[in-house]
Amino acid sequence: MAGFRSGRGRDSGSAQGRQYPQQQYPYGQQQPPYGQQPAPGAWPQAGQGQYPGPPQPPGGPGQPEYFGPPQGGDPYANNPGHTQSFSVQDPYGQGGYHDGPPEPPPGPRLSWKELLSGVVLRPNRTFWQMRDYPVWGPALLVTFLYGLLAVFGFDKAREDAINTTISSAIPYVLTTGIAMVIAGLLLGVVTHTLARQLGGVGSWAPTVGLSMLIMSLTDAPRLVFALFLGGDASLVQLLGWLTWIASGFLFTSMVSRSHDLPWLKALGASAIQLLALLFLIKLGTF
């Protein structure tokens, strides 16, 4: 019987710890004297009734078995009782089944200051972060204040408000502010309904609130110049068109992120609100 080398392939360092295999010879042959090599063919070969012994470690003679497999692959891989190592590719990394890293989840709710500045300076990030939070407070207040000043952005309405008494002008101005709030609510509901019809999944409260903020904030530059120059001035008309285009971009971005819609569908959902703002406010027919 063939023996095993002790110490997982290492010498024990002493002759006493070494165990030598018992050499067997064919019947009728004697063991050669001490110090002489056996004759060729004296050692038993595999397949002649003798157990050939365990395979040598993959690291080679004199190396422990836990050394890595030799070059060219693991000889034990995919054999019964053995497994083959494999690597797992990051699905969000380069070459995965995703185009790029996933977008971060919505963050904490923004304060009203961060919300107002974010709509103008960081619209994409702000709309994504606030897609699940209603913004009724800032939306109603900003739209109401915008409605109070919108009276003075139209020539005829401004003349009527200036030429009348204060007791008559205050209800007139307040009514205009309330009318702007109601108009913003209705237009936001229309935008949300169209987005849901096109496959959107957003909530109605964030959509309506953010649409009211977009409507009010984007028209602020035109309104400031209209207070002094009048609504029919060329600069005011130019600002009206430029701010209307900017509002279209913001509406599309907001609907796209709030409802997980592509840009074309998001633009289609915002089309009615954009046309209403153009004819009712931008062109001075309100």
Side-chain angles (χ1 to χ4, degrees):
M1 177 180 65
F4 293 86
R5 298 179 64 183
S6 63
R8 296 182 63 84
R10 297 173 296 178
D11 293 340
S12 61
S14 62
Q16 297 178 358
R18 300 174 182 172
Q19 297 180 0
Y20 297 94
Q22 296 292 332
Q23 301 177 358
Q24 299 183 4
Y25 300 91
Y27 180 77
Q29 294 185 9
Q30 300 295 329
Q31 180 178 1
Y34 179 78
Q36 296 184 6
Q37 299 294 331
W43 294 98
Q45 302 295 327
Q48 297 181 358
Q50 300 292 336
Y51 180 71
Q56 291 295 329
Q63 296 185 4
E65 295 178 2
Y66 50 79
F67 274 33
Q71 299 294 330
D74 186 2
Y76 301 113
N78 298 327
N79 289 334
H82 299 277
T83 58
Q84 183 177 7
S85 62
F86 60 93
S87 61
V88 179
Q89 188 177 14
D90 184 8
Y92 300 110
Q94 297 294 334
Y97 49 81
H98 288 271
D99 295 335
E103 296 186 22
R109 185 171 187 170
L110 298 176
S111 62
W112 66 272
K113 293 181 180 179
E114 295 174 336
L115 175 61
L116 297 182
S117 62
V119 170
V120 179
L121 302 177
R122 301 173 301 274
N124 294 336
R125 181 179 180 88
T126 301
F127 295 148
W128 171 253
Q129 191 167 348
M130 296 298 292
R131 58 177 294 176
D132 295 328
Y133 299 106
V135 291
W136 290 122
L140 294 175
L141 182 59
V142 171
T143 305
F144 180 72
L145 294 176
Y146 166 74
L148 297 180
L149 298 176
V151 177
F152 303 95
F154 303 100
D155 295 338
K156 187 177 185 306
R158 179 176 55 188
E159 292 177 0
D160 294 340
I162 293 176
N163 296 330
T164 187
T165 61
I166 296 180
S167 59
S168 300
I170 291 178
Y172 184 74
V173 173
L174 292 177
T175 302
T176 305
I178 295 174
M180 292 299 297
V181 172
I182 296 176
L185 286 171
L186 294 177
L187 293 175
V189 170
V190 171
T191 299
H192 168 74
T193 303
L194 290 177
R196 295 301 295 263
Q197 292 294 327
L198 294 175
V201 295
S203 302
W204 77 277
T207 303
V208 175
L210 290 173
S211 67
M212 296 174 66
L213 287 176
I214 294 172
M215 179 188 70
S216 303
L217 294 177
T218 54
D219 197 45
R222 183 199 67 85
L223 183 59
V224 170
F225 285 91
L227 292 176
F228 301 97
L229 302 178
D232 295 335
S234 300
L235 179 60
V236 175
Q237 293 292 326
L238 178 61
L239 287 175
W241 284 103
L242 294 178
T243 55
W244 181 75
I245 295 174
S247 65
F249 169 78
L250 294 179
F251 276 121
T252 304
S253 177
M254 183 270 294
V255 175
S256 176
R257 279 153 181 79
S258 297
H259 289 267
D260 293 332
L261 288 176
W263 271 73
L264 290 179
K265 289 186 176 182
L267 179 60
S270 308
I272 294 180
Q273 188 167 8
L274 285 172
L275 292 176
L277 294 179
L278 178 63
F279 290 106
L280 296 179
I281 298 177
K282 302 294 184 179
L283 299 183
T285 59
F286 182 76

